[in-house]
Amino acid sequence: MVFVLVLFALAGCAKDTAQTQAEPVAPQKICKRVAVLPFVDLGAAFGPNASVRGPLTRKVFVTDAIATHGERFMTKTLRRLLRAEPDIQWVAAQAPEIAARPQSGSRPELIRLLQSLGHRHRADGVLIGYLYAFRERKGGALGAESPAYVAFEVVLVSVESGRLLWQPKFSETQEPLNQNLFELGKFIQRKGRWVTAREMATQALKEMLQTYPGPTTDAALQN
């Protein structure tokens, strides 16, 4: 009888130990110190209605007009939203050579340039955005003559390896609900209004940042 009681006691201790070890651990975000570059205006560089490949991702975008100070708005908004991520040290950086010559140079050269910049800032990642379209809505919230159109991508580059660790993209022209029933969720979220390019871009950036990867997503990262 004493032997049986001892076995039950040991089993209980083992169970408690297993439960303690199984407590979830919050995943750590990759790139704890990130140099954040301004958005690069590719809409102005290539002109409207051009089919353009991303300098780093090679994804295809269709360019359009960039509203006045559109790239400044994107940069300011992104950096403001990043400040809500306390686990990561975001460092504002500049790279005039990239902004001045957005369509020149090869992809490997651009990656090496970003790695060099990251080393100068003692960062393990460099974040850069490319803006392809930032066309403002024409008309009012209840009846737009022409809807807003925004297209951009954000790329996180590893300073150590040069890999593209994160590359979310966004491209949307708002459509009326009767032309695209799949947009019901956005229609409700926007309260049936025609949104501005700034509203559209801000919401897209917020949703993008929710996907910032931790180590558990490393298998899905692409070169």
Side-chain angles (χ1 to χ4, degrees), residues 34-56:
V34 179
V36 184
L37 292 172
F39 269 80
V40 179
D41 181 351
L42 291 182
F46 289 92
N49 300 317
S51 182
V52 176
R53 288 190 177 274
L56 290 169

Side-chain angles (χ1 to χ4, degrees), residues 39-43 60-75 77 129-138 146-154 168-175 183 186 190 194-208:
F39 269 80
V40 179
D41 181 351
L42 291 182
V60 178
F61 295 84
V62 177
T63 60
D64 207 307
I66 304 294
T68 304
H69 303 313
E71 73 281 4
R72 294 184 188 179
F73 172 81
M74 294 294 295
T75 300
T77 302
Y130 290 100
L131 184 60
Y132 300 91
F134 197 88
R135 187 184 69 207
E136 264 300 356
R137 174 193 74 194
K138 291 183 180 179
S146 175
Y149 169 40
V150 176
F152 67 92
E153 64 178 339
V154 178
K169 68 174 183 176
F170 176 82
S171 179
E172 182 187 354
T173 302
Q174 188 177 3
E175 296 178 334
E183 296 296 314
K186 288 184 178 179
R190 293 165 175 171
W194 293 95
V195 297
T196 65
R198 293 189 173 208
E199 290 172 324
M200 181 182 288
T202 300
Q203 185 60 35
L205 286 171
K206 288 180 180 179
E207 293 175 0
M208 277 185 180

Side-chain angles (χ1 to χ4, degrees), residues 87-139:
D87 296 336
I88 304 171
Q89 186 176 7
W90 308 100
V91 182
Q94 298 288 335
E97 63 275 29
I98 295 177
R101 303 171 58 191
Q103 69 272 41
S104 62
S106 66
R107 182 177 181 272
E109 289 173 343
L110 177 56
I111 290 176
R112 285 193 294 270
L113 181 63
L114 294 172
Q115 287 178 286
S116 176
L117 182 143
H119 284 302
R120 292 200 302 270
H121 289 276
R122 299 190 301 278
D124 49 0
V126 177
L127 190 67
I128 185 169
Y130 290 100
L131 184 60
Y132 300 91
F134 197 88
R135 187 184 69 207
E136 264 300 356
R137 174 193 74 194
K138 291 183 180 179

